Amino acid sequence: MKLAETVTFGGSGLDRSALMRADEAGLAAALEDGRGSVLPIWRGKPLMEEHDGGMRLVWVHGNHPMLADAPAERLFLGDDDGALRFAADISRWQPDDLDADQLNSFADQSLQAHPTASDGQLFRELRLAMTLLTARDAELAATAKAMLSWHRSHRFCARCGTESRMTQAGWQRTCPDCGAHHFPRTDPVVIMLITHGNDLLLGRSPGWPEGMYSLLAGFIEPGETMEAAVRREVAEETAVRVGHVDYLASQPWPYPSSLMFGCRGEALSREITIDPAELEDALWISREELAEALSGRHATLLPARKGAIAQFLMENWLADRLD
């Protein structure tokens, strides 16, 4: 697909500078002398501010007082056109007016202001701001969020249970007892544009906002190809049989650490029998109805969130740009 890398979180060309990850002294010096800057992240929410009608990430210097709430280690993200970028998890900080219900909602609209931040610099839910960031900022934010989430959930060695430590500038964890090395986890997921003639198959998961439908998706299992995963997931969730499958595009999705493989599949049947453990509802929708939904004019149906690969694939299907 020619437009594949225009999907949100993809295609910015960030130089991840993997060869620099072992240079602890050099990276530490960059943070001291100003060549490096740090993106603070609080509970998965990057620090951002409004800029030119959109949003941009806020980078702070290596000894900023906000970072007192973070562990000593810094995650090295890469070389951003000459600026070395790092990230730090400051989730130990506790805001005074924290709204726990909003924080755990499907679309967290709460904003947190750290006492040492400048006016207008706020921690925001990335899903609500991802389309307002530049491609480079979006890739940096997604990388930082996914990596810091991995460090929080993989603190202990899977071989012996000892607490491991961050090494290779955050791109590895090493066990001090047995010496095992552990590397970042990415979960492969297929998300599928299943069509039958002029119609598209959509599903709805429990707990989604009222009226929201999206493309079906599911994890790829060990020993399974993407194509086989598409056919299996669609059959399990809706009983619709799928024939030919093509790969279209991918999207890193840091919720918490997935890589979405966008695929197109041709349905061989139309009758739907949903698995209630997976879906609340599923339906076929015509091109015309989808166009109404994407423009906000459909009476009952809301499409997937803008910026997600689901809407990216749907829009390009409508525009006949899947080549």
Side-chain angles (χ1 to χ4, degrees), residues 99-170:
D99 184 344
D101 291 337
Q102 183 62 230
L103 195 65
N104 296 320
S105 64
F106 181 84
D108 173 19
Q109 299 187 44
S110 67
L111 305 172
Q112 287 74 38
H114 195 277
T116 67
S118 300
D119 289 345
Q121 297 179 347
L122 301 164
F123 291 103
R124 298 174 179 268
E125 167 57 46
L126 182 57
R127 271 179 287 205
L128 300 182
M130 58 187 175
T131 61
L132 302 176
L133 296 169
T134 65
R136 176 58 53 80
D137 271 7
E139 180 176 348
L140 285 162
T143 303
K145 175 177 168 55
M147 287 293 294
L148 293 177
S149 175
W150 173 70
H151 281 290
R152 287 195 302 273
S153 61
H154 289 74
R155 286 176 52 201
F156 298 92
C157 177
R159 179 185 291 175
C160 73
T162 300
E163 184 168 4
S164 59
R165 59 185 180 86
M166 182 188 290
T167 53
Q168 289 289 312

Side-chain angles (χ1 to χ4, degrees), residues 176-212:
D177 279 2
C178 71
H181 300 303
H182 305 283
F183 300 93
R185 172 175 173 172
T186 298
D187 299 317
V189 177
V190 284
I191 182 164
M192 34 276 190
L193 188 91
I194 304 301
T195 60
H196 189 273
N198 194 50
D199 295 341
L200 177 66
L201 181 62
L202 298 180
R204 170 179 168 77
S205 292
W208 282 5
E210 184 177 355
M212 178 179 281

Side-chain angles (χ1 to χ4, degrees), residues 194-196 201 230-231 234-235 238-244 265-271 284:
I194 304 301
T195 60
H196 189 273
L201 181 62
V230 168
R231 298 185 186 102
V234 175
T238 65
V240 171
R241 293 182 294 110
V242 175
H244 183 73
E266 298 174 2
L268 302 177
S269 63
R270 288 185 62 92
E271 185 175 350
W284 291 100

Side-chain angles (χ1 to χ4, degrees), residues 5-319:
E5 290 193 274
T6 62
V7 69
T8 306
F9 299 137
S12 85
L14 173 66
D15 178 2
R16 298 189 171 223
S17 302
L19 294 178
M20 298 181 65
R21 294 172 184 170
D23 185 6
E24 293 184 14
L27 293 177
L31 284 170
E32 286 290 330
D33 64 23
R35 288 178 294 127
S37 55
V38 183
L39 173 66
I41 293 188
W42 180 79
R43 299 193 184 183
K45 301 169 75 167
L47 188 63
M48 306 184 205
E49 63 184 359
E50 296 182 3
H51 179 68
D52 286 345
M55 290 286 173
R56 68 180 177 187
L57 300 179
V58 174
W59 302 92
V60 301
H61 54 77
N63 59 355
H64 192 282
M66 189 184 302
L67 304 180
D69 291 305
E73 299 87 357
R74 299 288 175 263
L75 168 67
F76 176 54
L77 301 173
D79 185 336
D80 179 13
D81 296 329
L84 300 185
R85 300 299 197 188
F86 298 79
D89 187 349
I90 69 160
S91 297
R92 292 189 303 208
W93 168 61
Q94 184 74 9
D96 294 331
D97 56 349
L98 184 63
D99 184 344
D101 291 337
Q102 183 62 230
L103 195 65
N104 296 320
S105 64
F106 181 84
D108 173 19
Q109 299 187 44
S110 67
L111 305 172
Q112 287 74 38
H114 195 277
T116 67
S118 300
D119 289 345
Q121 297 179 347
L122 301 164
F123 291 103
R124 298 174 179 268
E125 167 57 46
L126 182 57
R127 271 179 287 205
L128 300 182
M130 58 187 175
T131 61
L132 302 176
L133 296 169
T134 65
R136 176 58 53 80
D137 271 7
E139 180 176 348
L140 285 162
T143 303
K145 175 177 168 55
M147 287 293 294
L148 293 177
S149 175
W150 173 70
H151 281 290
R152 287 195 302 273
S153 61
H154 289 74
R155 286 176 52 201
F156 298 92
C157 177
R159 179 185 291 175
C160 73
T162 300
E163 184 168 4
S164 59
R165 59 185 180 86
M166 182 188 290
T167 53
Q168 289 289 312
W171 291 87
Q172 183 174 299
R173 295 191 70 87
T174 301
C175 178
D177 279 2
C178 71
H181 300 303
H182 305 283
F183 300 93
R185 172 175 173 172
T186 298
D187 299 317
V189 177
V190 284
I191 182 164
M192 34 276 190
L193 188 91
I194 304 301
T195 60
H196 189 273
N198 194 50
D199 295 341
L200 177 66
L201 181 62
L202 298 180
R204 170 179 168 77
S205 292
W208 282 5
E210 184 177 355
M212 178 179 281
Y213 283 76
S214 186
L215 303 181
L216 303 186
F219 291 99
I220 301 175
E221 296 183 346
E224 187 175 49
T225 64
M226 283 190 294
E227 294 84 354
V230 168
R231 298 185 186 102
R232 174 184 55 77
E233 284 287 343
V234 175
E236 288 176 355
E237 295 185 358
T238 65
V240 171
R241 293 182 294 110
V242 175
H244 183 73
V245 174
D246 287 325
Y247 164 77
L248 295 173
S250 65
Q251 180 182 45
W253 191 244
Y255 299 96
S257 54
S258 297
L259 179 60
M260 311 292 290
F261 292 103
C263 297
R264 170 177 51 184
E266 298 174 2
L268 302 177
S269 63
R270 288 185 62 92
E271 185 175 350
I272 294 173
T273 303
I274 66 167
D275 175 0
E278 295 285 344
L279 295 178
E280 183 178 283
D281 190 26
L283 50 79
W284 291 100
I285 183 172
S286 69
R287 279 180 178 268
E288 293 75 20
E289 288 179 292
L290 180 60
E292 288 185 352
L294 289 173
S295 64
R297 298 196 304 267
H298 198 282
T300 59
L301 192 143
L302 296 175
R305 186 181 307 282
K306 188 171 181 59
I309 192 172
Q311 187 170 137
F312 175 79
L313 295 177
M314 286 189 275
E315 288 177 341
N316 282 288
W317 178 62
L318 279 179

